[in-house]
Amino acid sequence: MSLKMGIVGLPNVGKSTLFNALTRTAAAQAANFPFCTIEPNVGEVAVPDERLDRLAKVAKSAQTIPARMSFVDIAGLVKGASKGEGLGNQFLANIRECDAVVYVLRCFEDPNIIHVAGKVDPIADAEVVETELMLADLESLEKRVTGLEKKAKQGDKDAKLTLDLVEKARTLLYQGKPARHVARSTPEEDKAFRELQLLTAKPALYVCNVDEASAATGNEWTSKVAAYAKTHNAATVVISAEIESQLAQLPEAEQKEFLATLGLEEAGLNRLIREGFKLLGLQTYFTAGPKEARAWTIHKGDKAPQAAGVIHSDFERGFIRAQTIAYEDYVGLGGEVPAKEAGKARDEGKDYVVRDGDVMLFKFNT
């Protein structure tokens, strides 16, 4: 499953520093995870998961392959992007291709780094970006209304459903609220809403970029962003892009010591990636054997055939059953064979809803 998080932000907020730290981290992971730059502004990083290493040790796997997530450093934004100003069209197209949007917000003072607005105000920064996205969404919705109204009057049920969602989204957008606030109560509504492809319907994560002294505890600006995020149906994470940049250049053996001196237990990038997983409603299942131990990304609620399909579409089409062992049983009992002997290996069918951490082996028709 290919997942993309689009990184957006105004000039001088730390967006490029954060992305560069991500790409350096990815390059350092190359021994166990093949890093590739798909485009100059796209980098892939491994999803941190300590369970994978433990699983590989128990299974005596020759290599580990973590799940991965892509980060896209999206072209800079200026006011008027929704009308094509600056790199507006490219900016909007890049966001449309992403699964979620990461807003990098400046939450630090530095007289040597001039803020484009002349003062530090992360809420205002977020509003500048989101306003452009809302304006683009409104323009998109306005173009749909006449056609939908015509079809709805002719009795088209799908058009009526979509028109109702369009009106709900328009109302919110005119109130200055993103489309992700639109309430849906049925799978049909969810499907129709996704098909609208609204930019402000995408999950949002506000990254508070702070100075080193605020990395562990945050500051007054991060508190304001957290409160703002709650009212905008978004998540937040506090990171010092400068710390992450320094950390990415250190050998792995020195990284924990460096973090400890700053009062941090782990890298901020790890929190960012995990928060992205949570934001997108994702979870992990594993496969393990002598050749490799591997983490696979699926959506919460996915059933066994869908999980198999992440490996290969043939696995989903020809799905028969899945041998399933809970991660705790697999590791605690010492692997597949002991788990089977203890009666902890289950054969699950097509209706089984996969749980986070399941260790699975699929049987399928070719």
Side-chain angles (χ1 to χ4, degrees):
M1 181 183 292
S2 178
L3 303 163
K4 283 187 178 181
M5 303 278 283
I7 302 177
V8 300
L10 299 181
N12 295 338
V13 298
K15 181 170 71 78
S16 295
T17 302
L18 179 63
F19 180 77
N20 290 339
L22 279 163
T23 54
R24 278 197 293 269
T25 298
Q29 294 169 345
N32 290 321
F33 176 72
F35 167 69
C36 61
T37 302
I38 304 166
E39 296 174 19
N41 64 333
V42 180
E44 286 191 338
V45 294
V47 175
D49 195 328
E50 293 179 351
R51 296 175 299 179
L52 183 60
D53 290 330
R54 296 193 193 106
L55 198 66
K57 187 175 181 180
V58 171
K60 296 180 173 60
S61 305
Q63 64 174 333
T64 59
I65 303 178
R68 64 184 188 273
M69 182 176 285
S70 296
F71 285 88
V72 184
D73 187 17
I74 290 175
L77 174 138
V78 297
K79 286 186 178 181
S82 59
K83 301 295 182 183
E85 294 293 329
L87 295 173
N89 293 328
Q90 178 185 340
F91 175 85
L92 298 173
N94 285 341
I95 290 180
R96 193 163 278 114
E97 293 173 359
C98 292
D99 299 294
V101 184
V102 175
Y103 294 76
V104 179
L105 306 176
R106 177 170 169 174
C107 295
F108 66 90
E109 288 277 17
D110 188 335
N112 296 315
I113 304 176
I114 299 172
H115 191 285
V116 289
K119 65 175 183 178
V120 176
D121 188 343
I123 305 301
D125 292 354
E127 288 175 341
V128 167
V129 178
E130 194 136 71
T131 294
E132 294 301 327
L133 302 189
M134 287 192 285
L135 290 171
D137 281 346
L138 274 170
E139 183 178 354
S140 172
L141 293 173
E142 297 291 355
K143 292 177 180 179
R144 299 169 184 260
V145 172
T146 302
L148 287 170
E149 286 179 338
K150 185 177 180 180
K151 289 182 179 179
K153 287 178 181 178
Q154 295 171 348
D156 187 319
K157 291 183 179 179
D158 290 338
K160 288 181 180 179
L161 176 66
T162 301
L163 182 61
D164 180 58
L165 292 168
V166 167
E167 294 299 347
K168 288 179 179 178
R170 288 171 77 197
T171 298
L172 285 168
L173 291 166
Y174 279 124
Q175 293 173 352
K177 296 179 181 179
R180 54 183 173 272
H181 282 281
V182 172
R184 287 97 67 194
S185 56
T186 66
E188 291 76 20
E189 285 183 329
D190 275 337
K191 182 175 182 294
F193 187 69
R194 286 196 301 272
E195 289 173 352
L196 292 174
Q197 293 187 308
L198 299 177
L199 299 171
T200 62
K202 294 182 182 295
L205 175 62
Y206 297 129
V207 171
C208 300
N209 183 22
V210 299
D211 55 18
E212 289 189 13
S214 303
T217 58
N219 55 35
E220 60 177 315
W221 288 304
T222 64
S223 297
K224 290 178 181 179
V225 172
Y228 178 80
K230 286 182 179 179
T231 64
H232 282 66
N233 198 19
T236 60
V237 64
V238 176
I239 286 180
S240 169
E242 185 59 36
I243 288 176
E244 300 305 315
S245 180
Q246 295 176 48
L247 188 66
Q249 300 178 60
L250 292 175
E252 187 176 349
E254 298 177 18
Q255 291 183 4
K256 284 190 176 181
E257 183 179 348
F258 175 69
L259 289 170
T261 62
L262 299 169
L264 299 170
E265 293 183 1
E266 64 173 347
L269 296 181
N270 288 3
R271 299 196 305 276
L272 170 58
I273 294 167
R274 278 205 304 271
E275 197 61 46
F277 247 53
K278 182 179 176 182
L279 190 68
L280 294 168
L282 304 174
Q283 64 180 10
T284 301
Y285 80 87
F286 301 102
T287 54
K291 183 179 178 182
E292 66 180 33
R294 185 161 183 164
W296 302 90
T297 303
I298 59 172
H299 289 97
K300 291 180 180 178
D302 279 355
K303 295 182 178 180
Q306 293 170 289
V310 173
I311 299 176
H312 197 288
S313 57
D314 287 347
F315 284 27
E316 182 173 4
R317 282 193 296 268
F319 179 88
I320 298 175
R321 63 177 180 271
Q323 176 187 284
T324 306
I325 304 171
Y327 167 79
E328 292 80 6
D329 291 331
Y330 192 102
V331 173
L333 293 169
E336 180 181 352
V337 174
K340 283 182 176 179
E341 291 173 347
K344 296 297 184 179
R346 314 181 309 273
D347 279 340
E348 301 288 0
K350 294 182 178 181
D351 293 328
Y352 176 68
V353 178
V354 179
R355 299 171 187 169
D356 185 61
D358 278 349
V359 183
M360 308 188 78
L361 176 65
F362 299 104
K363 185 172 183 180
F364 62 98
N365 286 318
T366 55

